[in-house]
Amino acid sequence: MDQKGYRRGSFQSATSDEDMLEIAGASMDFSMADDDPPLDREMGGFSSYNGGGMNGTSTMMDFLEEPLPGVGTYEDFNTIDWVREKSRDRDRHREITNRSKESTWALLHSVSDAFSGWLLMLLIGLLAGSLAGLIDISAHWMTDLKEGVCLAGFWFNHEHCCWKSNTTFTDRDKCPEWKSWSQLILGHGEGAFAYILNYFMYVIWALMFSLLAVLLVKGFAPYACGSGIPEIKTILSGFIIRGYLGKWTLVIKTITLVLAVSSGLSLGKEGPLVHVACCCGNILCHLFTKYRKNEAKRREVLSAAAAAGVSVAFGAPIGGVLFSLEEVSYYFPLKTLWRSFFAALVAAFTLRSINPFGNSRLVLFYVEFHMPWHLLELVPFILLGIFGGLWGAFFIRSNIAWCRRRKTTRLGKYPVLEVFVVTAITAILAFPNEYTRMSTSELISELFNDCGILDSSQLCEYVNDFNSTKGDDLPDRAAGPGVYTAMWQLALALIMKVFITIFTFGMKVPSGLFIPSMAVGAIAGRLLGVAVEQLAFYHHDWAIFSGWCSQGADCITPGLYAMVGAAACLGGVTRMTVSLVVIMFELTGGLEYIVPLMAAAMTSKWVADAIGREGIYDAHIRLNGYPFLEAKEEFSHKTRAMDVMRPRKNDPALTVITQDSMSVEDVETIVTKTTYSGYPVVVSRASQRLVGFVLRRDLIISIENARKKQDGIVSSSVICFTDYCPPLPPSSPSVLKLRSILDLSPFTVTDETPMEIVVDIFRKLGLRQCLVTHNGKLLGIITKKDVLKHIAQMANQDPNSILFN
């Protein structure tokens, strides 16, 4: 709700509504108006709502009796105070509830406030679904543009161009309306020169798309690069990164994502779509005061937006909700679960209405396998899980090593050149092989496909020596020359994808990891599936096959192996389990294959965890030094709060502010000479008895406003953080009361508190800092960064790496 006196002032960032923290309102204050003397009430006549409680006016003007713009907000690259934000929201809700009993208008306001969350979810779902549909359609068209153009309308992709053609089913890709570049320029598409021209045009288009993408990112929105999921995890944990979810990032990420995917680089659009959806959520939050002014409430919305992002990326609304819960969210109450489900539902419905795939289905890779899997097939499925775990661990180590090299050497200074070189290598290697030339999504779709009678793909060129079939249930057959050619091409494609993805992920273009990881697993799975199929065909009398795979039966489905392999590799890289299995069966429609998917996902996670504990997103969070406190890891070391707090032995004393004996000049000197985010307030330097905690930003804003707008405030004016200030000589300048910005209930622990309890408090309450006391006297302070450095030190890592980079 709007607070009295709220104004947008000069304390907002220059990036206006792009900022993650465009909120105003005051800090927690648990003081009660009843504590004020009667004279205060007679003179003031009212009390103002100020975050945590009700403050009365006093004879000495409390300058913050009305909330100032900027007080209670956060600096860039700081962590929010979850406890304070939740307390402010409870106070706001309590006041709205109390007022709703007074008038009909207040009751309507209360109803609209309760409904605003659902309306916001509806808007996020509609916007995210629309943008995803636009990205899908544009990327499909621009991908085909590298190979040719449609004469019936240049805006048609290859598939849409040939819809109205009269060509036969087997020649459906050779319709006269679609012309390759050699046919368009030379008049024919056969011969060496035509092949070279098509090759050249493919590389040129790829380079143009990728260069335009990296130049747009570099020039307009540097935050639009990468997948965005590591940063979103960090933001959802309470960290502030201004502009990361702003309107410029949204516009540039949407455009450059289409360009990057169309260039043929080994990347996907699924991770960046989560970033796009979160940008939509953050921008739409500005329409509702409740979410605009409260960072904790805004993060609940962003959790739901992340679910909507996965929902439109894969056509998997339930998987999206589980992905948000399992992988990215830090605080996920039951209310957010329902709203995430609603946002994912609306987003999926919007995408289905747009129908970007042209198949009237929401799923990206629809499969229709005709035979159930057999129990003995769990062995190759588990082998695929082991491969996925090994590949995931190898990829994470290699990619992090390359990204660290990019950060620490001159390579990082030339992002455009890096993108140019990687794109050129990718395009030159990809064109000769039809399985790398096609888009990665098409490749996965082909690998998942179960060969039918009408399939003309090389993967389905089996020796047909049967007399009759029952519908689409074709028996296992001997592989023809086309299948063997496809196997060699797929093996080469696998090698290329394994290595080129390492150098692609992390470049200065939008790049997702889901689809490349799935492609690696799908290729490996299809290779293994064909191998097992041929083994069963030629050796159906072996003991392992004799009971269930007789000659002429359809026993082995290679497409199922590709699906399981895709899940295994994606699980090995991201370490997802539950959400991965649900996404995979929603993605393919293969509901009866949950057990093979579960076996492969679990095996890949166990194998990958045995080699390295971190998934790719956690590894990138650590590489970038984000202050993210992982909730999944246990802290088991026997250290105490006094071992971690600052100041340490031989350090300068802790910087404190006294409650009623320091002047404006003294406080301004402390603020100027230090860079701390806040300061403990004590009774006196001698006693060190703790009174509360005040934030640096609130102090600066309050003093600046008081100097400008309150008469008699000069450098020698005393700052008072209590209700009753000590009597001063009549000639003294006015006293500046700042009790309303003081947090009177900061979290404290004793010096003997075990660090495992301190770490749990930071994780579960989302604290920024915790004060350490001994017999009620202030000893020191522990910040979130101190906790992270201590955890890194205990794990024999460099504690200085916990710095935002």
Side-chain angles (χ1 to χ4, degrees), residues 581-594:
V581 172
V582 174
I583 286 172
M584 285 304 298
F585 83 69
E586 283 190 280
L587 187 66
T588 57
L591 194 61
E592 64 182 290
Y593 303 106
I594 287 181

Side-chain angles (χ1 to χ4, degrees), residues 7 21 27 55 80 90 105 143 148 154 209 217 246 249 283 317 356 416 446 450 460 578 589 699 740 764:
R7 294 177 290 108
L21 59 158
S27 311
N55 282 342
I80 71 167
R90 280 195 297 271
W105 178 251
T143 300
F154 73 91
F209 291 154
V217 168
T249 306
I283 292 165
V416 179
E446 181 136 333
D450 185 21
C460 296
V578 180
L699 264 181
S740 55
K764 291 172 181 174

Side-chain angles (χ1 to χ4, degrees), residues 246-269:
K247 57 180 179 290
W248 266 114
T249 306
L250 174 63
V251 171
I252 298 300
K253 186 117 188 179
T254 304
I255 296 169
T256 53
L257 179 54
V258 174
L259 292 165
V261 171
S262 306
S263 69
L265 285 166
S266 183
L267 47 83
K269 60 181 181 295

Side-chain angles (χ1 to χ4, degrees), residues 213-507:
V214 70
L215 290 171
L216 284 171
V217 168
K218 187 181 177 187
F220 295 98
Y223 283 151
C225 66
S227 77
I229 292 178
E231 287 76 13
I232 286 166
K233 281 188 74 168
T234 309
I235 287 169
L236 289 177
S237 76
F239 195 54
I240 301 282
I241 307 179
R242 285 179 186 252
Y244 196 85
L245 300 177
K247 57 180 179 290
W248 266 114
T249 306
L250 174 63
V251 171
I252 298 300
K253 186 117 188 179
T254 304
I255 296 169
T256 53
L257 179 54
V258 174
L259 292 165
V261 171
S262 306
S263 69
L265 285 166
S266 183
L267 47 83
K269 60 181 181 295
E270 285 64 31
L273 274 173
V274 175
H275 187 183
V276 166
C278 286
C279 287
C280 296
N282 183 55
I283 292 165
L284 290 169
C285 276
H286 289 84
L287 301 175
F288 302 90
T289 311
K290 174 165 75 170
Y291 297 104
R292 184 175 71 242
K293 293 184 179 182
N294 193 293
E295 290 294 341
K297 295 294 290 180
R298 190 184 303 205
R299 274 154 180 76
E300 291 179 23
V301 172
L302 295 180
S303 291
V310 175
S311 173
V312 293
F314 290 114
I318 301 171
V321 175
L322 290 173
F323 175 82
S324 180
L325 173 62
E326 181 182 357
E327 192 61 29
V328 297
S329 292
Y330 193 82
Y331 173 66
F332 204 84
L334 194 59
K335 180 171 59 177
T336 304
L337 179 72
W338 300 332
R339 288 181 174 171
S340 299
F341 185 77
F342 180 64
L345 168 70
V346 173
F349 175 78
T350 306
L351 187 66
R352 170 64 185 81
S353 303
I354 295 170
N355 193 19
F357 307 118
N359 60 3
S360 298
R361 289 194 178 97
L362 187 62
V363 296
L364 193 56
F365 312 118
Y366 182 75
V367 295
E368 201 167 9
F369 302 141
H370 303 101
M371 290 300 294
W373 59 279
H374 192 269
L375 191 63
L376 287 172
E377 288 184 280
L378 276 178
V379 175
F381 294 154
I382 288 171
L383 287 176
L384 285 172
I386 293 170
F387 171 78
L390 293 172
W391 143 251
F394 166 74
F395 174 81
I396 292 167
R397 289 198 175 186
S398 306
N399 180 252
I400 292 298
W402 177 252
C403 290
R404 185 174 286 113
R405 183 176 179 81
R406 183 189 289 126
K407 279 179 174 293
T408 55
T409 62
R410 294 182 62 188
L411 179 66
K413 297 178 181 177
Y414 306 103
V416 179
L417 180 62
E418 183 188 10
V419 170
F420 180 87
V421 170
V422 173
T423 307
I425 293 170
T426 305
I428 289 166
L429 292 177
F431 187 84
N433 187 340
E434 69 168 298
Y435 293 110
T436 49
R437 188 192 316 164
M438 66 175 67
S439 73
T440 316
S441 296
E442 286 179 41
L443 170 63
I444 294 170
S445 188
E446 181 136 333
L447 293 169
F448 283 6
N449 184 42
D450 185 21
C451 290
I453 300 170
L454 296 175
D455 280 312
S456 57
S457 164
Q458 269 193 326
L459 281 169
C460 296
E461 283 189 20
Y462 288 91
V463 177
N464 294 323
D465 57 357
F466 52 87
N467 297 321
S468 64
T469 62
K470 297 177 182 177
D472 280 339
D473 293 350
L474 297 175
D476 287 345
R477 298 159 285 163
V483 175
Y484 289 115
T485 305
M487 291 301 100
W488 279 109
Q489 289 179 326
L490 284 175
L492 292 172
L494 177 63
I495 294 167
M496 178 191 161
K497 292 279 184 189
V498 162
F499 289 101
I500 205 73
T501 309
I502 291 168
F503 301 100
T504 306
F505 187 69
M507 291 197 306

Side-chain angles (χ1 to χ4, degrees), residues 674-685:
T674 61
T675 57
Y676 306 130
S677 296
Y679 306 93
V681 176
V682 295
V683 173
S684 65
R685 291 186 186 279

